[in-house]
Amino acid sequence: MTGPIAHWPGRMIGDVHVRSTPEGTAAEQAVFVHGLAGSATNWTDLMGELRDVVTGHAIDLPGAGYSPAPEDGDYSLPAHARAVIALMEHTGPAHLFGNSLGGAVAVSVAATRPDLVRSLTLVSPALPDLIPRYGPARVAASATPRLGEWVADRLRFLPAEQRINATLAMCYADASLVHPARVRDAVEELRRRDGLPYAGRALIGSARGIVAEYFRLGEQNLWRQAARVAAPTLVIHGRRDRIVRPATARRALRTFPQVRLVLLRNAGHVAQMEAPAAVAAEARRLILETRLGNAPLPG
């Protein structure tokens, strides 16, 4: 079995760690934002698929991956959005991608800083949906005061392989198809994170941040922000997503001003990892359309 593409090299840009494809291969920039308990490496394969059209930069959100904990201990969605904006002020206007929590962060960035976002691609974005599912219920438990800390402490005693296999089973449509090298990468990364004193706080803080957004009212509600997004938008859902209901795609279709919806039959919550070629084909189409002047997308 041929091994997957190696992870892209990383470096600190400001206060966060960023993995980037080689500079100079493509003039346009792209920024990629991972989900809860994820990292920049969630985008490795998709960045490889798109490196001929964009120079990619995948962020480790504060406290995730190789990014240090923020000095103020703020893991809220607005704080994550500020970290992404700081990176995009460094890269210049870019095509913005987000998965799950990262999709919610990307919506906030696109709504508040339209000058930085050339297009928006969302993979199973965690936009408010109060119909309970197994995955969100686990997030809510992690976000509960005291209970979240207790759960995180107990989970650390489980073997890393067991925790990774459980995560893959929840996030992928068919976890048996994950390349063994990717599983090894994930296990090694989890073991490294187990040794970081802030890893549990970062995970719980980010979980609490996204739960808080589900109940936010007023103009900063994520759906209201979505309605203000000026950039052409692509929303991709896996039909076998166990975490974000694919049915929320219908509301996205009604809400974003310029939007195209793609449903992938055999993908789960992380389509950019399960089906990078399919996601890349749709993203490439969107990126090329922006070169025509950000015209409204055809249905």
Side-chain angles (χ1 to χ4, degrees), residues 90-113:
H90 174 85
T91 65
H95 301 278
L96 182 58
F97 291 70
N99 169 231
S100 193
L101 164 66
V105 172
V107 168
S108 182
V109 171
T112 57
R113 289 296 304 270

Side-chain angles (χ1 to χ4, degrees), residues 43-152:
W43 298 100
T44 297
D45 297 320
L46 183 63
M47 290 167 67
E49 293 280 349
L50 293 173
R51 65 185 182 275
D52 62 316
V53 291
V54 290
T55 297
H57 309 278
I59 186 174
D60 284 328
L61 290 171
Y66 282 84
S67 286
E71 291 185 2
D72 60 3
D74 189 351
Y75 296 102
S76 67
L77 189 140
H80 286 329
R82 289 193 294 271
V84 174
I85 288 170
L87 173 59
M88 296 182 77
E89 287 175 338
H90 174 85
T91 65
H95 301 278
L96 182 58
F97 291 70
N99 169 231
S100 193
L101 164 66
V105 172
V107 168
S108 182
V109 171
T112 57
R113 289 296 304 270
D115 56 307
L116 292 175
V117 181
R118 289 184 49 73
S119 72
L120 180 63
T121 297
L122 305 173
V123 181
S124 294
L127 296 173
D129 176 21
L130 299 182
I131 297 178
R133 301 201 91 193
Y134 174 66
R138 289 186 63 186
V139 172
S142 298
T144 303
R146 292 189 294 278
L147 176 61
E149 285 81 358
W150 182 84
V151 170

Side-chain angles (χ1 to χ4, degrees), residues 255-270:
T255 303
F256 288 93
Q258 298 183 64
V259 64
R260 181 169 64 243
L261 171 64
V262 174
L263 295 176
L264 298 179
R265 182 182 302 277
N266 294 315
H269 188 59
V270 287

